Amino acid sequence: MVDTEHRLRRSDGHRVRLAARHGELARPTAGLAQGFVQANLVILPERDAMAFLRFCQANPRPCPLLAVSEPGERHIDGVGIDLDIARDLPRYRLFRDGEAVSEPLDVADLWRDDLVSFVLGCSFTFEHALIADGIPLRHVTLGRNVAMYHTDIPLQAAGPFEGDMVVSMRPLRPADAIRAIQICTRYPQVHGAPIHLAFPEAIGIRDLAAPDYGDPVPIESDEIPVFWACGVTPQRALERARLPFAITHSPGHMLVTDMHDTQLALL
Amino acid sequence: MVDTEHRLRRSDGHRVRLAARHGELARPTAGLAQGFVQANLVILPERDAMAFLRFCQANPRPCPLLAVSEPGERHIDGVGIDLDIARDLPRYRLFRDGEAVSEPLDVADLWRDDLVSFVLGCSFTFEHALIADGIPLRHVTLGRNVAMYHTDIPLQAAGPFEGDMVVSMRPLRPADAIRAIQICTRYPQVHGAPIHLAFPEAIGIRDLAAPDYGDPVPIESDEIPVFWACGVTPQRALERARLPFAITHSPGHMLVTDMHDTQLALL
């Protein structure tokens, strides 16, 4: 497995997907196929898909849509050659009545002709751009998950989907925060610019040391907390909607696409 | 004079310059010829001009060069039709041996064949862009001058020109600060993005309530101070260089050009 991972780091999206499809990869995708866009996945029956599509359209910062499939289709134009969305992720999460009930390696046996797949941008893309620019990210340096928090920033509701925004937080020195805003502005399809900085309480966060998801990271005295809209937002809205049936990627086990990270840059 | 000013608000750069040239305008230019670029002016003998040009090139954030004249020329290509740089500003400031000795209405009688004119971008352009985007600026609302401060941010020296950066400060709410960074990034020729935010002491500012130039403004509890490189920087470097002879605009009495503010936007 270690050899496979080493090989897949310098690989491309197609090879990572084939490894996942053939049972050679069942671990998180961070660091694999470097330079290729990794994405969040949501799969819903057509009866719920229209409301979710409206929800994403109305809340693009936490829910940036990269692609939506035709109902029943396991291939999605532009996402990846030879894509089988039901088998090409390392691990999925199955929800029934809003509860996560299993984490299968593929969902081919659960496939139905009415399922619609949503591919959503992920913070990996802008994090790669920040690191490539020389901006250190504390959670990456420490080998932790990014710290994420519930806020009181309301989302625009659509059908059963509603709630407040979840944000990720990265502590940065002021000059790096300014540069990060510039870089992330170029990437609206992966959450775009930060939505807030400094003053956690202004968006309803009481204690930065106690994130609601992920791991806490220390904030130095010359740093400010910088907050981005987070891809956990749609996952949480999905759970709150208590749909009879839904599938997502398992956290960290992303859809690795054929798109290059830089292709998502506005300019 | 009030009628003249009212007329000149909706006028263009050429008409404002003609009014200044003909003695009909000897007051600050803020608010005149709205939408047209107003600029800082520095006039130096050719023997000092090369070092000043290198100084601006090395420190583009505080010293953003829009145009440089041929030696002796009172017209500068691209800045304004029919321009006479020695007469078209409402008021000038004459320096001898580093001391401001007078504030003449024109400098035609001081003109020499070796004088080089430098036209530098001014914060009015990005302030207009911020206000047009709905971002309130405290000093504008209060009718005060912007607060400016000495810092310990060193400049790159060139010949006799050296020193630390002077910054302007505008208090903004976090979401407005993020938006202001995006907007100002589009305008690198008028100081560009902020160079710092929060933590005044990190750039050597001890007391925000005691600016070194301009007027203090209150900072509300939900606001952070945001700092931009300031056009007072080259003026201060000029004074410190103690040149035998130099001319600038008198503060607030700017060169009004034929360029539209939006022409300075990168995109």
Side-chain angles (χ1 to χ4, degrees), chain A residues 173-175 178, chain B residues 55 58-63 148-157 161-169 191 193-206 212 226-230 232-234 236-237 240:
Chain A
R173 298 177 68 176
I178 291 167
Chain B
F55 182 71
N59 302 285
R61 303 298 282 281
C63 313
M148 295 166 274
Y149 305 86
H150 294 307
T151 72
D152 59 11
I153 302 170
L155 301 168
Q156 190 169 325
F161 304 105
E162 54 161 6
D164 296 323
M165 193 185 296
V166 177
V167 297
S168 59
M169 186 282 291
H191 305 304
I195 51 104
H196 185 63
L197 50 78
F199 310 136
E201 65 283 3
I203 57 172
I205 300 173
R206 276 193 293 257
D212 297 296
V226 182
F227 301 92
W228 277 260
C230 175
V232 170
T233 309
R236 186 151 178 271
R240 287 165 57 109

Side-chain angles (χ1 to χ4, degrees), chain B residues 6-71:
Chain B
H6 182 75
R7 182 170 54 78
L8 291 177
R9 277 183 187 277
R10 293 172 177 278
S11 185
D12 59 26
H14 189 204
R15 288 197 189 126
V16 171
R17 294 195 302 276
L18 287 178
R21 187 188 302 177
H22 296 131
E24 296 162 19
L25 177 74
R27 297 185 53 187
T29 51
L32 304 188
Q34 290 177 8
F36 288 86
V37 172
Q38 301 202 15
N40 297 291
L41 176 67
V42 172
I43 300 175
L44 298 176
E46 196 172 2
R47 51 160 286 187
D48 299 314
M50 180 63 186
F52 190 72
L53 188 49
R54 284 192 291 115
F55 182 71
C56 293
Q57 190 280 328
N59 302 285
R61 303 298 282 281
C63 313
L65 269 181
L66 292 175
V68 184
S69 76
E70 292 287 327

Side-chain angles (χ1 to χ4, degrees), chain A residues 61 172 174-175 177-179 181-182 185 193-199 202 220-224 227 267, chain B residues 61 172 174-175 177-179 181-182 185 193-199 202 220-224 227 267:
Chain A
R61 303 299 283 280
L172 294 173
I178 291 167
R179 182 69 181 140
I181 291 167
Q182 295 179 315
T185 296
I195 51 105
H196 185 64
L197 50 77
F199 310 136
E220 304 301 331
S221 62
D222 61 350
E223 293 176 332
I224 52 172
F227 301 92
L267 60 144
Chain B
R61 303 298 282 281
L172 294 173
I178 292 167
R179 182 69 183 139
I181 291 166
Q182 294 179 315
T185 296
I195 51 104
H196 185 63
L197 50 78
F199 310 136
E220 304 301 330
S221 62
D222 61 349
E223 294 176 332
I224 51 172
F227 301 92
L267 60 143

Side-chain angles (χ1 to χ4, degrees), chain A residues 92 94 96 102 104 106-113 115 245 247:
Chain A
Y92 297 79
L94 172 65
R96 293 199 186 274
S102 65
D106 74 62
V107 292
D109 56 332
L110 297 164
W111 199 257
R112 304 169 6 184
D113 283 349
L115 294 182
F245 179 94
I247 296 167

